[in-house]
């Protein structure tokens, strides 16, 4: 009953149609063999890539009866859900449970996409309110906000898994995320530490982003070519507090950019960063930079109405404001 009470407090349920990381590390020889098959068989085409992904996913599922996925609506976590569905007969639509953390750092656009993708996959999306917004480490945004955020997220997902185990009368279950091979190489992704602490399984850990997109396209996922869309907190320069107000400003500013920028589509990379003293920096793909220049005066006025002090423009670079800490630590 205590678990149910905690679930009622933290969760919103909507009907929208590891083995541990340490254990995976011990099995690295097996894992690397399967991952090498992904590369070796890739010359045969995407069907072989997908077949090996399903095989690898099946190998990390073991005898788990419940599969809870940290879901964002992005292509990585979407592919993980699809692979879990296909990897084993035990992974029924009821056993695979994508969970979306709801907070001011998750845009309404991302929530809508997550609902659409899970409906396409035929699984129920669970939406759970997370509490990182009350965490001083997260709010300070001094370099460990991602770790704090993911700790809160995986804590909530663990509750979902416990609840699923009780309801299904099946002991055992696993948490999963969409971390891919490119993510593992990124030193700014401190959330990977939290994933390790919670024994989260990463079926795509040996799969590059390009391979993820090819597999997702082959499996008919509607978001296979969508640009990555990390949480809104990642748009804040280090030291700019991760408050609800700041995150709302960024979300509204990005809506303005997307509505007015010629040539924008779901595959385009668009970011509005908040720098110190509330200065905005709009980052767009290089092919869109000329059109963006023509909109800068309009954005400057519109952004000031939102509370920004001014606008700069730059070619898109992933993690451009979070990498400053890594650069300082390496110096």
């Amino acid at each position: 009953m205590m678990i149910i009470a905690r679930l009622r407090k933290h969760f919103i349920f909507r009907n929208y149609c590891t083995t541990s990381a340490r254990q995976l590390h011990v099995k690295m020889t097996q894992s690397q063999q399967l991952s090498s098959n992904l590369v070796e068989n890739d010359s045969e085409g995407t069907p072989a890539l997908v077949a090996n992904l399903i095989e690898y996913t099946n190998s990390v599922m073991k005898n788990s009866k419940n599969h809870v996925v940290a879901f964002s609506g992005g292509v990585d976590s979407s592919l993980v859900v699809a692979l879990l569905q296909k990897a084993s007969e035990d992974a029924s639509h009821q056993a695979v449970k994508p969970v979306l953390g709801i907070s001011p750092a998750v845009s309404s656009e991302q929530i809508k996409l997550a609902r659409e993708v899970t409906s396409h996959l035929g699984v129920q999306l669970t939406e759970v309110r997370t509490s990182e917004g009350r965490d001083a480490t997260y709010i300070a945004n001094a370099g460990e906000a991602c770790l704090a955020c993911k700790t809160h997220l995986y804590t909530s997902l663990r509750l979902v898994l416990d609840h699923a185990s009780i309801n299904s009368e099946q002991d055992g279950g696993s948490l999963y995320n969409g971390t891919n091979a490119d993510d593992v190489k990124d030193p700014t992704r401190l959330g990977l530490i939290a994933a390790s602490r919670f024994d989260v399984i990463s079926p795509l850990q040996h799969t590059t982003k390009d391979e993820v997109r090819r597999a997702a396209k082959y499996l008919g996922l509607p978001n296979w070519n969508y640009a990555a869309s990390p949480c809104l907190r990642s748009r804040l320069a280090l030291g700019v507090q991760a408050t609800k107000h700041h995150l709302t400003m960024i979300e509204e500013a990005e809506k303005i950019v997307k509505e007015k920028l010629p040539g924008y589509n779901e595959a385009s990379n668009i970011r509005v960063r908040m720098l110190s003293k509330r200065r905005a920096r709009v980052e767009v793909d290089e092919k869109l930079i000329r059109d963006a220049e023509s909109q800068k005066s309009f954005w400057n006025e519109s952004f000031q109405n939102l509370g920004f002090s001014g606008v700069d423009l730059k070619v898109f670079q992933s993690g451009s404001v979070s990498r400053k800490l890594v650069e300082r630590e390496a110096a």
Side-chain angles (χ1 to χ4, degrees), residues 120-245:
H120 172 85
L121 290 168
V123 292
Q124 177 177 303
L125 176 65
T126 297
E127 299 176 11
V128 52
R129 292 198 183 279
T130 53
S131 56
E132 69 274 8
R134 298 193 294 272
D135 188 318
T137 300
Y138 175 82
I139 295 171
N141 190 35
E144 295 188 352
C146 184
L147 175 58
C149 177
K150 287 297 191 290
T151 298
H152 285 275
L153 175 64
Y154 291 134
T155 297
S156 296
L157 264 61
R158 177 60 64 181
L159 287 173
V160 174
L161 183 59
D162 291 344
H163 182 256
S165 298
I166 292 172
N167 278 358
S168 64
E169 298 182 348
Q170 297 277 4
D171 292 334
S174 299
L175 302 181
Y176 301 81
N177 64 21
T179 298
N180 63 50
D182 297 335
D183 298 332
V184 173
K185 299 174 184 177
D186 186 346
T188 70
R189 292 181 179 267
L190 298 187
L192 297 178
I193 297 174
S196 177
R197 290 173 179 172
F198 282 83
D199 297 332
V200 180
I201 299 173
S202 304
L204 305 178
Q205 64 178 328
H206 303 299
T207 310
T208 67
K209 188 73 172 189
D210 178 64
E211 290 169 333
V212 167
R213 292 194 185 281
R214 286 170 42 217
K217 182 179 182 181
Y218 180 81
L219 292 174
L221 299 185
N223 57 344
W224 70 270
N225 66 334
Y226 281 29
S229 184
C231 74
L232 296 174
R233 199 278 314 160
S234 67
R235 274 77 153 163
L236 299 172
L238 288 168
V240 176
Q241 290 193 332
T243 63
K244 181 178 180 180
H245 180 57

